[in-house]
């Protein structure tokens, strides 16, 4: 709770700077006056000021107080302009996507394109000890095949956590998968046939597009607002115009724009689709990465007909390399189970056993609290440095969770060319063109905030800003 108190002071100061109420160089309220106004302790306000000073937002002057630094203004928010809805089309982005994925795992570069927490944010030692213990205590179970639905202990832990988050889940409902991508693959295979049209939000995670292309599915895009996600009104317009077989949506901190669909809109969308018996595949990998006190709701919470297939994983929270995900397949459980049995048979037994024990010991929530605070700090720091180094006219999202920033560069900037120039400089970014089937977002890039802020990362942001500025002038 104390953490949220001082973070609320930080947000209050940043909003005053963003709105212009506090100008660059202005003096901040004294610790005592702000603590009185906000009803918080002087020590809480002091902690927030020290954190803002560490990030370079404000500076302290002996015997004078705290002042806004001259370079502290963040970039304005990204806005999505309304675009006409186009006809369903085959997905043809796989070549560029594969080029972007070539660098994943390369250690010699600054990986601003990898959406996962850095090792310093993961429970490396805890999970290592637990992994060694479960293999030592039950070696035969660890070395054998896990059941096709998954390790029973892990299934139960996931079911209990899902119930705590308001979902109507039976203890044996979850299926364990090799990461969230397999869950999405099983879901689409369970509800679609080759040639079907699938509704997606735009922009959307490029691996979804890769999956649609592989399965021979067509895509119809509805706009995702950077703040409010997909609106029920846009969904209705698409449903009236096209024959939609299924939807793939990420309501909470969508990758790449980090949009958050309000819970009431989620309820309305689930109801609209249920009336038409249209399945909804929900990507839920980022809901635990909220920066606000309350975890956002899911589409699955409002599912009463078993038409929502929720897909998630532990890759964004505790163990990217373990490749352990899960799905809540609703009425499609048996079909998904049949498909899994004919693909990879089962997911790694030792990895499932270790994560099940990590959850059983109650370590998850303590870890998530630290992870969320660190990601928010890193994201704030990156936003401030983007404002210092990127050319005038650049905009960026201001997310309330997740781990990515979506940058709109000045008109005329070619983000694919910027991607190749950055790669030659040892910097990984994701160009906006791979997040849509249409020729949109050509002047956008996605940056990950998962790695610690270091001089190397700061230099990378400086270099990117210079490259973007040069491209604008050329």
């Amino acid at each position: 709770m104390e953490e949220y108190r001082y973070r609320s002071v930080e947000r209050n100061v940043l909003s005053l700077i963003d709105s212009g109420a506090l100008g660059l160089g202005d003096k901040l309220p004294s610790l005592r006056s702000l603590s009185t106004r906000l009803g918080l302790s002087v020590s809480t306000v002091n902690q927030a000021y020290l954190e803002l000073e560490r990030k370079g937002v404000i500076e302290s002057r002996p015997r004078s107080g705290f002042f806004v630094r001259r370079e502290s203004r963040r970039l304005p928010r990204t806005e999505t302009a309304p675009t006409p809805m186009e006809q369903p089309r085959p997905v043809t982005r796989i070549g560029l996507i594969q080029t972007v994925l070539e660098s994943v795992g390369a250690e010699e570069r600054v990986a601003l394109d990898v959406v996962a927490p850095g090792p310093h944010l993961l429970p490396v030692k805890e999970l290592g000890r637990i992994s060694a213990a479960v293999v030592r205590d039950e070696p035969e179970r660890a070395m054998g095949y896990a059941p096709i639905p998954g390790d029973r202990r892990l299934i139960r832990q996931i079911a209990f956590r899902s119930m705590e988050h308001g979902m109507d889940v039976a203890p044996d409902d979850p299926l364990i998968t090799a990461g969230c991508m397999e869950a999405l693959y099983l879901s689409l295979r369970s509800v679609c046939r080759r040639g079907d049209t699938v509704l997606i939000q735009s922009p959307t995670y490029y691996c979804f597009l890769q999956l649609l292309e592989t399965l021979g599915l067509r895509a119809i895009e509805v706009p995702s607002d950077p703040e409010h996600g997909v609106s029920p009104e846009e969904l209705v317009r698409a449903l009236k115009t096209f024959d939609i077989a299924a939807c793939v949506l990420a309501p909470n901190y969508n990758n790449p724009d980090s949009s958050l669909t309000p819970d009431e809109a989620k309820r309305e969308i689930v109801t609209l689709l249920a009336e038409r018996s249209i399945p909804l595949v929900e990507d839920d990998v980022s809901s635990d990465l909220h920066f606000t006190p309350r975890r956002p709701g899911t589409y699955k919470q409002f599912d009463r007909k078993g038409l929502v297939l929720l897909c998630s994983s532990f890759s964004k929270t505790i163990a990217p390399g373990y490749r352990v995900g899960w799905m809540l397949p609703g009425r499609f459980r048996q079909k998904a189970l049949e498909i899994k049995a004919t693909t990879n048979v089962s997911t790694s037994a030792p990895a499932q056993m270790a994560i099940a024990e990590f959850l059983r010991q109650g370590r998850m929530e303590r870890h998530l609290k630290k992870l969320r605070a660190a990601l928010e700090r890193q994201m704030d720091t990156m936003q401030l440095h983007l404002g210092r180094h990127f050319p005038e006219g650049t905009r960026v999202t201001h997310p309330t969770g997740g781990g990515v920033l979506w940058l709109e560069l000045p008109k005329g900037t070619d983000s694919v060319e910027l991607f190749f120039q950055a790669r030659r400089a040892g910097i990984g970014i994701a160009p906006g063109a791979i997040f849509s089937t249409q020729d949109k977002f050509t002047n956008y890039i996605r940056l990950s905030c998962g790695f610690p802020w270091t001089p190397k990362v700061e230099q990378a942001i400086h270099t990117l800003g210079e490259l973007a500025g040069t491209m604008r002038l050329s």
Side-chain angles (χ1 to χ4, degrees), residues 225-421:
D225 180 86
E227 290 192 54
H228 306 298
V230 174
S231 73
E233 293 76 18
E234 289 287 350
L235 186 75
V236 167
R237 193 157 69 94
L239 294 174
K240 288 181 177 179
T241 308
F242 305 106
D243 182 16
I244 307 295
C247 300
V248 181
L249 301 174
N252 297 331
Y253 317 122
N254 173 52
N255 181 355
D257 66 0
S258 292
S259 59
L260 176 65
T261 303
D263 284 359
E264 192 50 46
K266 291 176 188 141
R267 184 198 303 272
E268 189 174 347
I269 286 170
V270 171
T271 300
L272 287 167
L273 295 175
E275 289 171 351
R276 297 162 173 81
S277 296
I278 296 175
L280 169 56
V281 179
E282 177 175 13
D283 173 36
D284 189 48
V285 295
S286 297
S287 293
D288 280 326
L289 302 180
H290 55 94
F291 302 155
T292 51
R294 178 179 169 273
R295 186 184 195 270
T298 61
Y299 286 126
K300 190 67 176 175
Q301 280 181 234
F302 306 110
D303 180 26
R304 300 294 176 264
K305 294 187 176 182
L307 286 167
V308 176
L309 301 89
L310 181 141
C311 304
S312 192
S313 83
F314 297 100
S315 296
K316 302 296 184 283
T317 52
I318 60 174
Y322 277 36
R323 304 305 301 140
V324 175
W326 75 90
M327 61 188 298
L328 303 175
R331 66 167 69 172
F332 305 100
R333 187 178 190 278
Q334 187 57 41
K335 181 65 174 176
L337 194 57
E338 292 171 4
I339 298 170
K340 181 173 177 61
T342 59
T343 51
N344 72 352
V345 183
S346 66
T347 305
S348 167
Q352 292 187 67
M353 293 165 63
I355 291 178
E357 183 62 16
F358 184 85
L359 297 175
R360 189 195 69 79
Q361 292 181 12
R363 298 174 182 268
M364 185 65 163
E365 297 311 317
R366 293 197 299 270
H367 164 67
L368 285 175
K369 184 177 180 182
K370 295 178 183 178
L371 175 62
R372 288 192 287 256
L375 286 175
E376 186 175 15
R377 284 195 300 270
Q378 291 170 189
M379 188 176 287
D380 281 349
T381 303
M382 184 176 286
Q383 286 175 318
L384 291 164
H385 282 267
L386 291 170
R388 294 172 189 170
H389 299 304
F390 272 67
E392 185 178 352
T394 303
R395 293 176 174 269
V396 67
T397 50
H398 294 185
T400 59
V404 299
L405 293 174
W406 184 230
L407 271 73
E408 180 186 2
L409 301 172
K411 296 294 184 184
T413 306
D414 184 345
S415 64
V416 174
E417 177 59 27
L418 180 60
F419 160 74
F420 284 109
Q421 290 192 23

Side-chain angles (χ1 to χ4, degrees), residues 10-237:
E10 281 192 67
R11 283 191 287 270
N12 181 276
V13 173
L14 287 171
S15 67
L16 290 173
I17 295 171
D18 291 344
S19 67
L22 274 176
L24 304 183
D26 284 357
K27 184 177 181 180
L28 272 69
S30 70
L31 298 177
R32 189 168 300 280
S33 65
L34 190 58
S35 69
T36 300
R37 179 160 66 84
L38 298 179
L40 299 171
S41 68
V42 172
S43 64
T44 298
V45 177
N46 184 58
Q47 184 181 7
Y49 276 17
L50 291 176
E51 182 65 18
L52 288 168
E53 185 178 26
R54 187 190 68 80
K55 293 175 179 176
V57 181
I58 64 177
E59 59 186 3
S60 60
R61 299 177 188 172
R63 300 183 181 181
S64 298
F66 289 90
F67 294 78
V68 181
R69 288 188 60 181
R70 293 286 177 184
E71 308 88 1
S72 292
R73 191 176 301 281
R74 293 192 294 181
L75 294 172
R77 295 179 185 272
T78 297
E79 299 177 356
T80 298
T83 55
M85 193 173 297
E86 298 189 16
Q87 291 294 318
R89 59 172 65 190
V91 184
T92 56
R93 286 288 189 271
I94 200 163
L96 182 56
I97 291 170
Q98 287 176 339
T99 302
V100 173
L101 290 173
E102 284 175 2
S103 300
V104 172
E107 297 180 358
E108 68 278 3
R109 66 197 183 96
V110 182
L112 300 179
D113 54 338
V114 177
V115 184
H120 73 297
L121 297 181
L122 300 174
V124 176
K125 292 182 178 178
E126 286 181 284
L127 204 51
R129 286 194 295 266
I130 290 173
S131 297
V134 297
V135 173
R136 182 190 64 240
D137 295 342
E138 299 184 83
E140 293 182 359
R141 181 164 162 253
M143 294 301 103
Y145 285 117
I148 295 174
D151 181 275
R152 188 167 183 80
R153 298 174 198 176
L154 180 57
I155 288 173
R156 289 299 179 96
Q157 289 295 330
I158 290 171
F160 294 153
R161 292 193 82 241
S162 300
M163 292 177 204
E164 289 174 355
H165 296 147
M167 289 174 258
D168 185 13
V169 178
D172 294 326
D173 280 354
L175 296 182
I176 308 302
T177 61
C180 187
M181 281 305 298
E182 189 193 16
L184 292 162
Y185 170 81
L186 296 176
S187 296
L188 286 170
R189 282 281 310 277
S190 297
V191 302
C192 295
R193 295 178 296 178
R194 181 173 288 273
D196 280 348
T197 296
V198 176
L199 182 144
I200 59 174
Q201 62 199 93
S202 180
T204 195
Y205 182 34
Y206 58 80
C207 284
F208 295 173
L209 303 181
Q210 194 176 30
L211 184 56
L212 294 178
E213 185 169 355
T214 300
L215 294 175
L217 300 172
R218 300 166 65 84
I220 181 71
E221 299 186 16
V222 295
S224 173
D225 180 86
E227 290 192 54
H228 306 298
V230 174
S231 73
E233 293 76 18
E234 289 287 350
L235 186 75
V236 167
R237 193 157 69 94

